């Protein structure tokens, strides 16, 4: 066996520890597949750990580890966007390849980090940053490389999907399920990233860039989380044949003028109950990709947790190990799938330019003609109603009216909702959730 490959692991939290375990458990497989010996030589950790092999150097100075002569590949698993950025740039500037699971860092600073890697002829691999153990980056950059991608839709936050599933199936309270997701090692250090959709938005920014060949533009992702979803809406949606899931969409819209561009959005969405994506439950993630000429393909698996994420981290390590010693950067696919100088400046559409169907829940006094007023406002705005459900009065004289619409541009829907809310018989803000048939 030729030269041993030396790994440094920065951060020994859930994922870092998972990587150490995976290497210990599967070392024989890793060696047989790569034809190389693989050794962890250094770990960067804030406090000394007594459960680590004494042959591995432990160092709290992460910048020193990233520059160490005793390391070929730096695995960054500390998370965050400050020290993590410094250590990755340090590794790159010292000619080391990097493997990271850090979606926040790449979504926000990936353009700079990838440019630095290209200038230094090294590679930054990030399979673990999106959809946990699902090899979606490899699929999109390699297996779909001949396709033109039209849109993708993904359940890409395991914690959020776990919470939504437990609430729907068992009626468990939100906070209780979130605590369990934290205990299971699914949630981000700051779980608001999970429940407010920010983690999904980070991942969507990465997926969209490799789908369409555009620079990373996290700041342009429209983002809504799951904190406002009520059991009442979950149940009305089910009654109408839909399920509410938190979905990230990247959609290419062809068209004239300001209609042309790319939609980047993550939000709760009603999707048909019988769609495969609607049956992705618990911590599972799934990404549905619609491409030409292939059509729809679906990728499914654990979206969070130590084992799933370690699997993705080590797949990247294996890709690097197999080509180390040759011109690694030349042998790797481009970071964002397209050649860096070929990235396009296709505009990202603003929220009000985006198109989707809607679920509306309107609370109205049970007066004659209210329903007619609401439907007239929608029809005057050119909005096509697909289904309507009026429940009996649930509190003194008020009725919830549920309306599903066909796709409409958001600015039109905003105007219609404003008019509905101005009706005298309307008592509360209109609740709106987007709807997509995934067709
Ligand atoms: N907090 C993330 C999730 C971890 O729940 O999906 C995996 O990226």
């Amino acid at each position: 066996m030729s030269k041993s490959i030396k790994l440094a692991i920065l951060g020994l939290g859930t994922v870092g520890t998972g990587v150490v375990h995976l290497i210990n458990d599967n070392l024989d497989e890793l060696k047989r597949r790569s034809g190389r010996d693989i050794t962890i030589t250094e770990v960067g950790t804030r406090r000394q750990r007594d459960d680590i092999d004494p042959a591995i150097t432990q160092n709290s100075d992460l910048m020193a580890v990233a520059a160490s002569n005793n390391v070929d590949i730096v695995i960054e698993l500390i998370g965050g966007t400050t020290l993590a950025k410094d250590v990755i740039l340090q590794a790159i500037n010292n000619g080391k390849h990097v493997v990271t699971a850090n979606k926040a860092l790449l979504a926000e600073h990936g353009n700079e980090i990838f440019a630095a890697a290209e200038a230094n002829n090294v590679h930054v691999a990030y399979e673990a940053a999106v959809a946990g153990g699902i090899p979606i980056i490899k699929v999109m950059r390699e297996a779909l490389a001949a396709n033109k991608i039209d849109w993708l839709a993904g359940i890409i936050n395991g914690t959020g999907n776990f919470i939504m599933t437990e609430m729907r199936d068992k009626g468990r309270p939100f906070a209780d399920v979130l605590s369990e997701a934290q205990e299971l090692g699914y949630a981000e250090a700051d779980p608001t990233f999970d429940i407010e959709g920010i983690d999904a938005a980070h991942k969507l920014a990465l997926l969209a860039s490799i789908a369409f060949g555009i620079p990373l533009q996290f700041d342009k992702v429209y983002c809504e989380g799951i904190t406002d979803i009520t059991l009442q809406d979950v149940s009305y949606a089910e009654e109408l044949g839909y399920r509410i899931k938190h979905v990230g969409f990247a959609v290419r819209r062809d068209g004239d003028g300001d209609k042309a561009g790319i939609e980047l959005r993550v939000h709760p969405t009603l999707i048909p109950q019988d769609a495969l994506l609607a049956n992705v439950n618990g911590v599972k993630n799934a990404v549905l990709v619609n491409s030409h000429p292939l059509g729809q393909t679906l990728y499914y698996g654990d979206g969070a947790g130590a084992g799933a994420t370690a699997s993705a981290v080590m797949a990247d390590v294996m890709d690097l190990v197999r080509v180390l010693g040759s011109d690694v950067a030349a042998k790797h696919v481009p970071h964002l799938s397209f050649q860096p100088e070929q990235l396009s400046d296709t505009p990202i559409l603003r929220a009000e330019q985006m198109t989707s169907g809607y679920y509306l829940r309107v609370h109205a006094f049970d007066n004659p003609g209210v329903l007619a007023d609401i439907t007239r406002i929608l029809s005057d705005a050119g909005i096509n109603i697909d289904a309507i459900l009026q429940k009996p009065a649930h509190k003194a004289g008020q009725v919830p009216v549920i309306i599903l619409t066909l796709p409409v541009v958001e600015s039109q829907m905003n105007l219609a909702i404003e008019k509905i809310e101005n009706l005298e018989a309307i008592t509360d803000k209109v609740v709106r959730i987007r709807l997509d048939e995934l067709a």
Side-chain angles (χ1 to χ4, degrees), residues 94-309:
N94 282 275
K96 315 224 178 280
H97 305 287
V98 174
V99 174
T100 178
N102 195 333
K103 54 259 165 161
L105 177 63
L106 293 181
E108 291 177 30
H109 301 289
N111 297 321
E112 177 188 345
I113 289 170
F114 295 146
E118 282 142 21
N120 283 278
N121 212 29
V122 294
H123 193 76
V124 176
Y126 58 95
E127 184 65 70
V130 182
I134 306 173
I136 189 67
I137 303 296
K138 190 177 257 300
V139 161
M140 288 187 45
R141 286 199 313 202
E142 299 178 40
L144 300 184
N147 281 263
K148 182 173 180 193
I149 294 174
D150 299 317
W151 56 262
L152 62 86
I155 293 174
I156 46 181
N157 180 266
T159 302
N161 200 43
F162 180 68
I163 294 172
M164 299 274 299
T165 305
E166 292 288 303
M167 280 175 67
R168 189 195 74 228
D169 290 356
K170 301 178 191 157
R172 290 179 62 193
F174 190 103
D176 183 33
V177 193
L178 175 58
S179 302
E180 190 183 343
Q182 288 175 289
E183 277 159 32
L184 291 166
Y186 300 159
E188 295 303 297
D190 177 354
T192 57
F193 276 42
D194 297 295
I195 61 180
E196 298 295 354
I198 300 161
D199 177 74
H202 287 143
K203 294 164 179 169
L204 188 83
L206 285 161
L207 287 176
S209 287
I210 60 178
F212 304 127
I214 53 173
L216 289 154
Q217 293 165 84
F218 164 68
D219 55 329
K220 295 191 181 148
V221 181
Y222 173 81
C223 179
E224 270 178 39
I226 57 171
T227 47
D228 291 336
I229 296 297
T230 64
L231 284 174
Q232 190 186 19
D233 291 316
V234 168
S235 138
Y236 291 150
E238 294 279 335
E239 202 171 321
L240 288 159
Y242 290 85
R243 187 148 299 151
I244 304 179
K245 288 287 188 187
H246 191 261
V247 185
F249 290 92
V251 184
R252 182 203 302 273
R253 298 271 182 214
D254 296 324
D256 298 328
D258 71 352
K259 289 203 180 73
I262 291 169
E263 294 183 5
L264 302 179
R265 48 192 169 89
V266 301
H267 47 71
T269 313
L270 272 75
I271 55 177
Q273 264 164 9
D274 58 1
L276 288 172
L277 215 54
N279 294 286
V280 171
N281 292 320
V283 74
K284 299 292 184 198
N285 279 193
V287 183
L288 177 63
V289 184
N290 194 61
S291 63
H292 175 78
L294 176 60
Q296 289 195 3
T297 48
L298 179 69
Y299 309 93
Y300 169 85
D302 275 8
T309 316

Side-chain angles (χ1 to χ4, degrees), residues 353-366:
Q353 298 171 295
M354 297 177 184
T355 304
S356 72
Y358 279 89
Y359 160 102
L360 305 178
R361 174 161 56 81
V362 186
H363 276 252
F365 280 114
D366 195 5

